[in-house]
DNA sequence: CAAGTAAGTAAATAGCTTGAACTTACACGC
DNA sequence: GCGTGTAAGTTCAAGCTATTTACTTACTTG
């Protein structure tokens, strides 16, 4: 269960037709307002092919026609946009501290959302509750009249790359859970794509896929919360999300930053998470599990030991970012997760370290764009919805 | 200049035809001995399409027919193989200590090779010498009667992902070199693909692309020599080699393993290369630049300080491997480079650390295959040749 | 030796993109 | 206000590719 679409080795005429439809849709998605003529130029197709392709996408509710462009001497072209009123994707995140749900339009706009706190419990109970909330969201006023493309679920742990199994979620206490199998029976009628993925990977995918205009070649999302994870997306036309052999790609919280350092819950020594993570900050400052970490720390940011702890964690985070820079060198880095809300005491040392050291090797002045997401509440859920959309556009669906 | 082929967003009938030819060729390449019927099943094409496709590939010298398969009740199928006698690719590596060249058949067999030592000099002189050697290789008895698909060059530094520029080769003292532009004028007649890439990436690509039978989903090659670099390849049908925004993907020698540690030549502190690399071992043991590192160390392996130095370097190497495991989690790790020749004193601690700690997080017993290449003299050059082949098969060539 | 089975080939058919001609729609100059 | 120029978008016959169906080939089994 993933977003690595069958690289369709070969195909027939129907396959070619679908490929061209996908290409047209992707072009308009990435560059809203394109005319048929623009598409023909960019996709290397003839006007005729684009014309019929666009017509069928209009009929099926994927695209809508907009205003006329300004003429540049001849007949003005008609702008094309995503039809943002016909389809909807549902996305959800099962986090350590609660459930987050969104209903998304094709362009990534959040039509409706829901967030509730939840103490970690069994997969079955969680699935039941999530199903209930999904049903509510699906019947919300702005959602219920749309065709639903599917449901994506983001989970806090590594996913098997070959089958939809959550291998481990240390902070939920789950292991080898086929979460979709618990969820689907609650939706006997809802057709469409069902998928699940790691939360950092879903978030990375969403941040990449819903981008319009200048799209980066690759993007890494770093999720800093109870644990630290990352996801990398790459490849413009057919975005690829690496999972790795065991789904461990992006488990950067368990890269070693301090050989011989403190013991991590995984059993290794000196993991990044022993230096920067929700749990290590709790441990350093003696904050109990049942207290909200961010809420209890925000009033205490002036305390000296809090400042010191966060500065050290921030330096480790900066090192982690630099190591990603020298391992995957993404075109854009995005930093999210609940720890971001701790603000400057944590982030300033991290960003300062990264900015000061990223160009040492090449000696250039080009800075890798690094974006900090202040409120990442719904980022992973929205990313899971993006994965649903991508699986429909690039996958074997006959909706296109 | 790279191996990220235009993801041909869309296409016409001719494009589809070419796609199917490529798919057939790739299938036979990966699984020699396949029959037309097998191909039809695996590529989801009809017998008729496969028949005409195979015929055209036979005519063009890509495939050859082999023996009849054993019948399973009906007419036996005829085995298909790569025609390993018609084409040739040239690959070269410009290393810190010399030039390595190979001529490769389609299956990756080295038909002829050449290795010579060379003290670092200017790009122009190097290109002139390499051109001379390439000419010799091209006119070697087993090579000259074949059609040459092109030339690939592997270089010891990061390559710009958008244009064929070697941005930096610290150990050669080069910066921003358009090496192909120095090389091509020496070959007024030789048509075909010309490309250059980082040596670890070329090596990774070759190890992945020439594999037959069970092909891993992804592969990381770690090149341990004067510096430390890596390359990752992913995606079975259309192998993708990530370079990153600035070509820094795989510069794992400059990931920080020891915050606040020794200064690296890049200006940062605690880079992996300060702990494990040709130059850091030289520095630790006082071996001069003009001595061959491996040759001078092999007789001294019993010395206590040598053992200690190599053990510490080995532990750092093990950490590096573990960090790759938790960042990219490749299906297979391959370790090459000149330092491998130092053998057990360096490798044992590295492999032991990696094996002991790779499964802590998931708690499984599945071991990631880790292959050590004893003699990696021609690995990168052969990989560059593989990239030439891939660019012909997947690129816009009309040879297929 | 006949029947059965599966691989591979040949010819007619269906479906997609193309190319060229055509229509539409605006801008510009007089 | 009108004619000309330019470019967007549409229409339809033509060309090309994969498929479908029927057929031939070639070996195994009873």
């Amino acid at each position: 269960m993933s977003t690595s679409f069958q690289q369709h080795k070969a195909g027939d005429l129907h396959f070619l037709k679908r490929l061209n439809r996908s290409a047209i849709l992707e072009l308009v998605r990435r560059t809203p307002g394109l005319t048929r003529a623009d598409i023909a130029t960019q996709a290397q197709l003839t006007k005729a092919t684009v014309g019929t392709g666009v017509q069928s996408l209009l009929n099926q509710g994927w695209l809508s026609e907009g205003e006329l462009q300004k003429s540049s001497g001849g007949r003005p072209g008609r702008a094309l946009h995503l039809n943002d009123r016909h389809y909807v994707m549902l996305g959800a995140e099962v986090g350590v501290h609660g459930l987050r749900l969104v209903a998304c339009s094709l362009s990534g706009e959040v039509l409706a959302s829901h967030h509730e706190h939840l103490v970690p419990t069994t997969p079955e109970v969680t699935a039941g509750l999530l199903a209930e909330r999904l049903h509510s969201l699906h019947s919300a006023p702005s959602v219920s009249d749309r065709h639903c493309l599917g449901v994506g679920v983001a989970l806090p742990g590594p996913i098997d790359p070959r089958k939809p199994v959550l291998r481990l979620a240390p902070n939920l206490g789950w292991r080898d859970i086929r979460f979709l199998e618990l969820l689907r029976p609650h939706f006997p009628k809802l057709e469409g794509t069902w998928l699940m993925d790691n939360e950092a990977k879903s978030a990375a995918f969403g941040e990449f896929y819903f981008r319009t205009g200048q799209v980066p070649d690759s993007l890494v999302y770093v999720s800093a919360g109870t644990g630290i994870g990352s996801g990398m997306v790459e490849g413009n036309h057919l975005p690829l999300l690496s999972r790795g052999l065991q789904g461990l790609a992006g488990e950067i919280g368990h890269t070693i930053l301090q050989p011989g350092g403190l013991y991590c819950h995984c059993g290794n020594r000196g993991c990044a998470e022993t230096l920067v993570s929700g749990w290590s900050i709790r441990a350093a400052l003696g904050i109990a599990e049942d207290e909200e970490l961010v809420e209890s720390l925000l009033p205490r940011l002036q305390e000296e030991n809090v400042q010191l702890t966060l500065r050290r964690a921030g330096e480790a985070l900066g090192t982690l970012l630099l190591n990603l820079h020298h391992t995957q060198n993404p075109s854009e880095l995005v930093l999210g997760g609940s720890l971001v809300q701790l603000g400057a005491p944590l982030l300033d040392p991290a960003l300062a370290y990264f900015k000061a050291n990223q160009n040492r090797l090449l000696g250039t002045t080009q800075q890798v764009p690094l974006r900090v997401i202040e409120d990442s509440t719904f980022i992973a859920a929205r990313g899971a919805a993006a994965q649903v959309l991508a699986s429909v556009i690039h996958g074997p669906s006959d909706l296109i």
Side-chain angles (χ1 to χ4, degrees), chain A residues 24 41 69 142 150-151 178 203 286 308 313 323 331 336 367 385 394:
Chain A
I24 292 170
T41 311
Q69 302 282 79
S142 52
V151 181
R178 297 177 172 270
L308 180 65
N323 284 358
S331 302
Q367 290 277 330
H394 298 286

Side-chain angles (χ1 to χ4, degrees), chain A residues 109-364:
Chain A
E109 192 195 337
V110 174
L111 303 167
S113 65
H114 177 76
H115 175 17
E116 79 182 74
H117 286 270
L118 176 66
V119 178
T121 172
T122 66
E124 289 76 14
V125 171
T126 308
L129 194 60
L130 180 58
E132 218 171 280
R133 299 295 178 261
L134 278 171
H135 271 126
S136 314
L137 204 68
H138 191 210
S139 49
S142 52
V143 176
S144 58
D145 53 339
R146 292 162 180 256
H147 179 81
C148 180
L149 293 175
V151 181
V153 183
L155 297 163
I159 310 282
D160 191 295
R162 301 192 173 275
K163 40 190 194 294
V165 179
L166 173 67
R167 300 197 67 165
L168 178 72
N171 301 310
L172 288 175
W174 297 2
R175 185 177 278 275
D176 291 323
I177 306 297
R178 297 177 172 270
F179 195 72
L180 291 183
E181 294 184 9
L182 303 175
L183 204 57
R184 283 205 72 159
H186 294 95
F187 296 85
K189 284 176 301 188
L190 190 51
E191 288 302 311
T193 303
W194 287 78
L195 57 83
M196 62 192 248
D197 206 340
N198 170 270
E199 53 97 13
K201 295 189 180 65
S202 289
F205 194 87
E207 289 309 292
F208 182 83
Y209 199 61
F210 282 140
R211 184 75 62 86
T212 57
Q214 280 285 85
V215 178
D217 290 324
S218 57
L219 181 148
V220 164
Y221 182 93
V222 175
S223 166
T226 307
I228 305 277
S230 72
M232 168 145 180
V233 201
E234 191 173 11
N236 204 327
H237 304 304
L238 201 108
L240 183 74
L241 195 48
S242 333
R243 281 181 189 68
L245 177 64
Q246 299 141 311
L248 293 181
E251 286 294 332
I252 56 170
H254 298 282
T255 56
I256 310 295
L257 281 190
Q258 201 175 50
L262 294 176
Y263 276 98
C264 175
H265 63 76
C266 76
N268 281 343
R269 299 180 67 171
C271 289
E273 282 195 7
T274 64
L275 302 168
V276 51
S277 65
W279 66 261
S280 69
I281 292 174
R282 279 178 197 273
L285 295 173
I287 300 172
E289 281 284 343
D290 53 1
E291 278 186 85
E292 270 289 319
L293 177 65
V294 173
E295 283 171 25
S296 69
L297 268 187
L298 282 181
R300 293 175 54 193
L301 289 184
Q302 299 312 316
E303 291 177 24
E304 203 171 313
N305 61 336
V306 172
Q307 293 245 336
L308 180 65
T309 300
L310 293 185
R311 192 175 73 235
R312 286 191 179 152
E315 285 164 3
L317 182 56
T319 309
L320 218 38
L321 294 173
L322 190 66
N323 284 358
L324 282 173
H325 176 64
H326 283 136
T327 307
Q328 306 188 310
N329 193 219
S331 302
E332 181 169 329
L333 271 161
V334 181
L335 180 58
S338 57
L339 294 188
V340 167
Q341 294 164 32
L342 294 173
L346 178 78
L347 298 182
D348 282 357
L351 302 187
Y353 181 84
F354 181 66
K355 281 183 181 154
N357 295 309
Q358 65 168 280
N359 280 317
R360 289 270 160 82
L361 184 57
L362 282 180
T364 57

